[in-house]
Amino acid sequence: MRGEAAAGIGFEIKCYNSKLHMQIRVGKRIIRRMNFILPALLPGLLLLGGCADRGDTPPKISAVPVVVAQAKRQAIPVELTAIGTGQAYKTVSVESQIAGIVKDVQYRPGQFVQRGNRLVTLDDRPFLASLAQAQANLARDTAQSQLDEAQVGRYKQLYDQGIVPREQYDQYLATASSAKATVAADEAAIQTAKIQLSYCSIYAPISGVTGAQLVYPGAAVKANDVPVLVVINEVSPIYVTFSVPQQYLGPIKGFMAHSRLPVQAIPRGDSRTESGSLTFVNNTVDPTTGTIQLMGTFANGDHRLWPGQFADVTLRLAEQQNALVVPSQTVQTGQDGDYVFVVQPDKTVKTENVKTGRTVNGLTEVLSGLTDGQTVVTDGQIRLATGTKVYFTNGL
């Protein structure tokens, strides 16, 4: 350090250091004004400038904490993933078989119903009257038929005795046969009236969940006409439809020929997996998208899958044996492609370029660049470079 004073100029302080060259010039007039703080200012300036030469030795860098894993060989599934949509196993639009007035509605919108549960009741009084009329006609025509049968018996004796001609006997015989036919028609009319009466009580044809309520008491309905009474969707079991690129059609058909292919679906907004099997491959490829539609069937006992709901679908085709895999977070992407940090025996790391394959269940297949048993870094890569010393935080 050197201090020099010059008339009219003041003095300058120069501090030379291998890392810092600091020069302070102080004017004469400024000194006069600051002479009361200069004794306190100079020690701080000297410390700030690092005038005491401490050398150029860099600070010692400690090891970087990382999480590691080992590359290993294991079987991984060969899978296809897609977005699927729930579809009702059966859909039935319940309609009235007769024209009538709605008397009562026994279902609630969105209710789960069992096959045979009563849904709607129509006013049955007109049909009870029709049944009573048909029964009365049967009684009348039965009596007439019995009379005609008795006449045939008498004229048969007279004809055998030669008292009446053949033509007269045949006339009574035809009349009796006509009366029998009338009785049969009346019996059929009674059965029709009973069937019409039974249509006044409308039951669920399948088990499922009802849709919105479409009719109310007092509404007039027609036979097999709108409005329908209710729509029922069977949701247990349920279908999930999804599409995959057409190039997978051949492998899918080949694997299906040997076994049922398992399908897993995770409804959107849920984390639990529903298991089913592939049951349908469409008979045509969609030319606009180049995809083939598939359908999986799921038991859906807890009704987590729903018609129209999106789900993440995974179709498992087979298992690939002896694949070399690492946790997916191990693989980093750089300018030269994918790479990983490999831990050396001296606890330093180096980068290795790798070629990767499929990613399944958090594991990435490594096609080249690694060998079985090598230790790789799975977490903490941001602080690493080739040659960095590391220590393990997960006990490996």
Side-chain angles (χ1 to χ4, degrees):
M1 178 181 293
R2 180 179 62 179
E4 298 178 352
I9 298 176
F11 68 89
E12 66 177 2
I13 299 173
K14 293 184 178 180
C15 176
Y16 294 93
N17 187 279
S18 60
K19 296 182 180 178
L20 177 66
H21 175 203
M22 182 175 69
Q23 177 176 314
I24 302 175
R25 293 178 179 267
V26 183
K28 183 176 181 180
R29 294 179 181 178
I30 298 176
I31 293 175
R32 290 176 180 174
R33 294 180 182 178
M34 299 182 63
N35 57 7
F36 65 97
I37 65 170
L38 189 57
L41 179 61
L42 286 176
L45 293 174
L46 295 177
L47 291 175
L48 179 63
C51 295
D53 191 353
R54 294 188 297 269
D56 296 332
T57 303
K60 184 179 292 186
I61 299 176
S62 60
V64 175
V66 294
V67 178
V68 297
Q70 287 186 334
K72 59 182 179 180
R73 294 193 175 275
Q74 66 178 60
I76 58 174
V78 180
E79 297 177 337
L80 299 176
T81 58
I83 303 299
T85 306
Q87 179 179 323
Y89 192 75
K90 295 178 185 176
T91 298
V92 176
S93 297
V94 181
E95 301 176 351
S96 176
Q97 301 297 303
I98 55 175
I101 304 299
V102 176
K103 182 179 180 181
D104 194 13
V105 176
Q106 281 87 15
Y107 72 89
R108 299 187 308 276
Q111 176 185 355
F112 283 91
V113 295
Q114 298 297 320
R115 179 178 181 179
N117 289 161
R118 183 180 294 183
L119 302 175
V120 177
T121 301
L122 303 181
D123 186 0
D124 61 356
R125 290 175 297 176
F127 303 97
L128 287 172
S130 296
L131 177 59
Q133 183 179 5
Q135 291 172 335
N137 291 338
L138 175 62
R140 180 196 62 198
D141 294 335
T142 299
Q144 183 63 46
S145 177
Q146 291 173 349
L147 175 61
D148 291 339
E149 284 292 331
Q151 289 284 58
V152 168
R154 286 194 291 269
Y155 273 85
K156 177 67 169 55
Q157 293 178 356
L158 294 176
Y159 170 72
D160 291 341
Q161 295 173 5
I163 299 175
V164 295
R166 175 73 184 186
E167 292 80 6
Q168 192 173 5
Y169 170 69
D170 289 343
Q171 181 180 357
Y172 279 100
L173 191 62
T175 301
S177 298
S178 176
K180 287 183 179 180
T182 302
V183 169
D186 291 341
E187 291 174 344
I190 289 176
Q191 293 299 319
T192 300
K194 288 181 177 179
I195 292 173
Q196 296 286 313
L197 180 61
S198 69
Y199 288 157
C200 291
S201 296
I202 301 170
Y203 301 92
I206 62 173
S207 298
V209 59
T210 61
Q213 185 171 339
L214 303 178
V215 294
Y216 295 86
V221 296
K222 298 180 181 179
N224 302 313
D225 197 5
V226 293
V228 298
L229 304 180
V230 65
V231 177
I232 301 177
N233 283 335
E234 185 173 353
V235 296
S236 181
I238 194 172
Y239 293 127
V240 174
T241 60
F242 58 100
S243 298
V244 298
Q246 60 182 345
Q247 60 263 31
Y248 296 111
L249 177 59
I252 290 173
K253 292 169 62 178
F255 287 121
M256 285 187 67
H258 297 91
S259 62
R260 295 178 68 91
L261 299 182
V263 182
Q264 293 183 334
I266 303 177
R268 289 293 175 87
D270 202 338
S271 60
R272 293 175 294 172
T273 300
E274 192 79 14
S275 298
S277 59
L278 184 66
T279 53
F280 172 74
V281 178
N282 204 355
N283 58 2
T284 182
V285 173
D286 187 345
T288 61
T289 61
T291 59
I292 182 73
Q293 186 186 55
L294 309 177
M295 182 181 294
T297 303
F298 298 79
N300 200 33
D302 52 4
H303 304 140
R304 290 191 300 110
L305 295 172
W306 208 251
Q309 183 185 26
F310 289 112
D312 297 317
V313 179
T314 301
L315 172 64
R316 178 170 293 190
L317 301 179
E319 265 197 352
Q320 178 183 347
Q321 303 295 327
N322 204 33
L324 183 64
V325 296
V326 295
S328 298
Q329 64 269 28
T330 301
V331 182
Q332 306 293 302
T333 302
Q335 294 181 348
D336 297 329
D338 294 334
Y339 68 93
V340 299
F341 285 101
V342 179
V343 181
Q344 302 300 301
D346 61 354
K347 295 297 181 67
T348 61
V349 296
K350 70 172 183 177
T351 59
E352 288 285 356
N353 293 326
V354 295
K355 183 179 180 180
T356 59
R358 296 176 298 109
T359 297
V360 180
N361 298 330
L363 297 175
T364 296
E365 180 186 11
V366 178
L367 302 178
S368 63
L370 286 180
T371 58
D372 189 13
Q374 282 189 290
T375 302
V376 292
V377 178
T378 63
D379 191 20
Q381 296 98 322
I382 193 171
R383 301 176 59 187
L384 300 183
T386 297
T388 302
K389 193 81 171 180
V390 297
Y391 72 90
F392 308 154
T393 61
N394 57 337
L396 291 183

